[in-house]
Amino acid sequence: MTLSLNHFLRALSLLCGLILVSACQQQNVIPTVPKQPKVLNAAPPTVQPVEKIKTVEEAEKVMVIAMDLTDKKVPVPRSANPLSLDPDQDSVSLMPSENIPADSGQTSDNANKNLAILFSNSPEQITTELPTFEQQSIIEITGDEQSLPEPLDRELQKIYLMPKAIQYAYLLDMAEQVLALGYAQSSARILNQIDLGLVPKNQLSRYLEAKAESQLKLGDSFGAITWLQQAQVLTPDTDPQARTKLLVLKAESYEANGLSLAAANALIALSQLPTTIEPSQYNERIWMALTKVNAQALDLQVTGTDNDVSRAWYTLALIPLVHHDMELQLSSVKQWQQQWPLHPASLSLPGALASLTDLREAQPQRIALAMPLHGRLGKVGQAVVDGFMMARFEAQKTSAMIPYIKVYDTSSLSSLDGLYRQAATDQIDIIIGPLDKDKVIQLSQKDALTIPTLALNYIPLGGTSNVTTNLIQFGLAVEDEASQLADRSLAEGHKRIIVLHQDQPWATKAAQHFSTSWTSLGGEIATQVSFSGAGDHSESITQALLINQSHERAKLLKKHLSGSGNKVKFEPRRRQDVDAIVLFALPSDGRQIIPTLAFHYAADLPVYASHHIYQGPTSTSRDRDLEKVIFTELPWLIEQPEIQQKFSQKWPDRDRYTRLFAIGVDAYRLFPRLQQLQAFNNSRVHGVTGLLQMNSQGRIFTHSSWGQFRAGKVIANPR
């Protein structure tokens, strides 16, 4: 009797433990995500195999609780193959110890492979052996966008009542029809209702292209490229219409994704199709894409292609990168036209190339450098002047037109008005400076300046809505890096991000700007956590990954199971609802954070960082702890052009001012092209600080280069 009662009490204790596991899981609260459209043809969830516990005695020996931090799965990055279904699995399970799954955070593994899959030579083949779905008689299409017109909606409901064997064809027609009318969300949802197992292979390319176009119109360029890569396998090259449509979608998707060289190649191929009546109609888009490609990549294309039209385009795009002087650019373009007289770009020069003669005649001839050469900012100002003058001497070696340059020391400047009066007396065409932010703010508060001015600093973003005539701002801003990090994260298919930043003003400002940019692009911030660097890295990361919640639930479970005779083995898990991390930190902190992320089961999450994570080339192994971190950096430092190498040889003791030296070099490259940047919205200048472009407020923003740590070294432009 006593033995039976003992067995009964132990069984009751085990049952309570199982109920508690479920209750703990239900207590999790995660940030709400937008409701996703229901995919009716999704496969049922796969249940992890669990070895059955036959007796209470077996349960007493060991009980292993694999605990997740969320009560439901949040969508994770899309699979590389959009047609393979990866159903969500419940990550909370009760099982014997020998069946404990490795806690590897598999939900984000594909994020590191995205681009390799997209541009692989042999895209994954399409399979039509997909599970069927239970057909509903009437399906209501709802969403954030405008409802379908009543006639289309009635027609759609009739289609849903048709036999499944013929339904797919009518649904595909309807999806394409509503997509052409601008109902991208409805089109995507209609496509989700198609049973792909019934679609003939010769119709799958239509489905894939419609899917890609709907994703593109919904702002998901990464998803669009993924679908198009699959469609390319099925689209015959002999079908002119199909090839044209595929190239149009590829060009638009690559443009939206920031893959400039791929976009240019697709547009060039499109312009050469036999069905293209006027190839020059693509000139501006091709040129816009090629002006974003660096010289090294263009050189590789020139030597690696056997297509004359493509080679001519790459050669033309190299001219402004090789010759920074307008006179040399103009003569080189004329030589190019003589070599390629029938090329589409030769007959109709794109962008600013058509206006080079006018721009050359209008460029300033007398330059004033208004820089502090003594006092608090003396060394800073001198570094900028040295960079400017070194660029001037390099240009002189190529027989370029050299302007007159006068340097004004603004160290003890009492009045900006006095500076402009003196410059007017000296017949100065443009002033480069000041460098001091306070003085730039003073200039921005004026309605107009009597002499065009290229200030080498920025007024705070949002500080004033006034646009001062003749004032252009240029410098290095952490906000530009934050925006660039947001663009790349989105382009690589990420949706939900953790932001980690140092508790410093620059890092806080960068993190806030990133969050604003990221959410405006449609992304989500899972959490934003700061750290002081005073030994709190593990605590901050534990908080960001919700590891602390996992430990709390384990403590609660152990408390309730105490005295039951059951042994609890606990292994914490990080949250599974994020797919990338953005980091604003100095190298000393970064080298501790990355290993700590790995310790807390987040080694698989891609990490993006600002340039602050990089201290420059090193002969030691100190950067091995930053493995795979992707970061923004000046071409000056990551690509090390010839002028940078000369600077390092001449002034090896002034490396701390190397970024300011780079600003001086780019100030020299910019001043002749300011009218070009103002007149042509999409015009760009390749500088040593990055790809330079001007907005409507006269602010020049910088697109930096990219680097990635590999085995303690840095790989340039890993994308």
Side-chain angles (χ1 to χ4, degrees), residues 142-219:
T142 60
D144 297 332
E145 69 174 17
Q146 183 182 0
S147 301
L148 286 176
E150 188 174 345
L152 287 175
D153 189 61
R154 284 199 305 268
E155 187 68 24
L156 182 60
Q157 302 308 324
K158 292 179 182 178
I159 295 173
Y160 287 131
L161 297 174
M162 292 179 177
K164 290 176 63 176
I166 63 171
Q167 191 186 77
Y168 78 88
Y170 291 91
L171 284 175
L172 185 52
D173 286 341
M174 177 62 73
E176 291 174 333
Q177 183 180 353
V178 301
L179 183 59
L181 294 173
Y183 298 96
Q185 185 71 55
S186 295
S187 177
R189 294 181 181 182
I190 293 171
L191 290 168
N192 285 340
Q193 317 308 317
I194 295 177
D195 185 347
L196 293 179
L198 300 175
V199 180
K201 188 172 181 180
N202 61 359
Q203 293 294 310
L204 271 177
S205 61
R206 279 183 62 202
Y207 173 89
L208 294 168
E209 288 173 3
K211 192 74 174 176
E213 188 175 356
S214 65
Q215 293 301 107
L216 181 60
K217 290 186 176 180
L218 290 171

Side-chain angles (χ1 to χ4, degrees), residues 361-555:
E361 293 176 355
Q363 75 178 52
Q365 302 297 318
R366 297 176 65 84
I367 314 297
L369 282 177
M371 294 288 135
L373 301 179
H374 302 87
R376 180 175 60 91
L377 296 176
K379 292 185 178 179
V380 172
Q382 188 61 58
V384 174
V385 172
D386 289 343
F388 190 92
M389 298 305 291
M390 189 169 190
R392 184 253 188 206
F393 289 125
E394 288 296 308
Q396 190 174 16
K397 294 178 182 178
T398 62
S399 302
M401 185 171 59
I402 304 302
Y404 167 83
I405 300 170
K406 184 169 184 176
V407 179
Y408 297 154
D409 186 357
T410 61
S411 304
S412 57
L413 182 67
S414 59
S415 169
L416 287 171
D417 292 336
L419 169 65
Y420 280 83
R421 285 194 296 269
Q422 183 61 49
T425 301
D426 295 336
Q427 299 181 327
I428 296 298
D429 295 326
I430 185 172
I431 296 175
I432 298 178
L435 190 62
D436 190 309
K437 182 181 289 288
D438 291 336
K439 289 184 172 62
V440 178
I441 293 175
Q442 292 178 36
L443 291 178
S444 71
Q445 293 170 347
K446 298 179 178 295
D447 293 330
L449 301 178
T450 56
I451 299 174
T453 302
L454 177 62
L456 299 187
N457 212 324
Y458 295 113
I459 61 174
L461 286 175
T464 177
S465 59
N466 179 51
V467 178
T468 303
T469 305
N470 280 339
L471 176 63
I472 297 170
Q473 306 162 57
F474 167 61
L476 300 178
V478 71
E479 293 92 342
D480 289 349
E481 289 189 67
S483 296
Q484 194 173 342
L485 288 168
D487 289 338
R488 174 150 184 173
S489 300
L490 184 74
E492 296 195 343
H494 305 307
K495 294 297 181 184
R496 193 169 170 83
I497 280 179
I498 290 175
V499 180
L500 300 175
H501 66 91
Q502 288 191 279
D503 188 14
Q504 295 291 332
W506 70 267
T508 301
K509 179 171 66 173
Q512 290 173 345
H513 191 82
F514 171 84
S515 297
T516 301
S517 300
W518 180 243
T519 53
S520 70
L521 293 171
E524 298 177 61
I525 301 295
T527 187
Q528 181 172 319
V529 178
S530 66
F531 54 88
S532 66
D536 62 344
H537 299 109
S538 183
E539 179 182 349
S540 300
I541 290 171
T542 298
Q543 176 186 347
L545 296 175
L546 301 185
I547 301 293
N548 52 345
Q549 292 186 17
S550 182
H551 283 285
E552 288 300 319
R553 283 192 300 277
K555 289 179 183 178

Side-chain angles (χ1 to χ4, degrees), residues 349-368:
L349 286 172
L353 294 181
S355 304
L356 272 179
T357 301
D358 295 335
L359 292 170
R360 178 198 57 180
E361 293 176 355
Q363 75 178 52
Q365 302 297 318
R366 297 176 65 84
I367 314 297

Side-chain angles (χ1 to χ4, degrees), residues 632-685:
T632 59
E633 186 53 282
L634 307 185
W636 174 263
L637 292 174
I638 205 165
E639 296 168 11
Q640 297 185 335
E642 184 179 353
I643 191 171
Q644 189 273 347
Q645 298 175 34
K646 291 180 178 179
F647 161 78
S648 296
Q649 293 171 2
K650 186 173 183 178
W651 293 297
D653 58 334
R654 295 176 62 187
D655 278 347
R656 61 178 298 189
Y657 298 107
T658 187
R659 295 177 186 275
L660 294 160
F661 195 94
I663 289 176
V665 172
D666 275 358
Y668 187 87
R669 294 185 179 182
L670 274 171
F671 83 82
R673 295 173 175 78
L674 295 179
Q675 287 191 9
Q676 170 187 335
L677 294 174
Q678 288 175 317
F680 299 91
N681 294 334
N682 294 314
S683 187
R684 300 169 185 84
V685 172

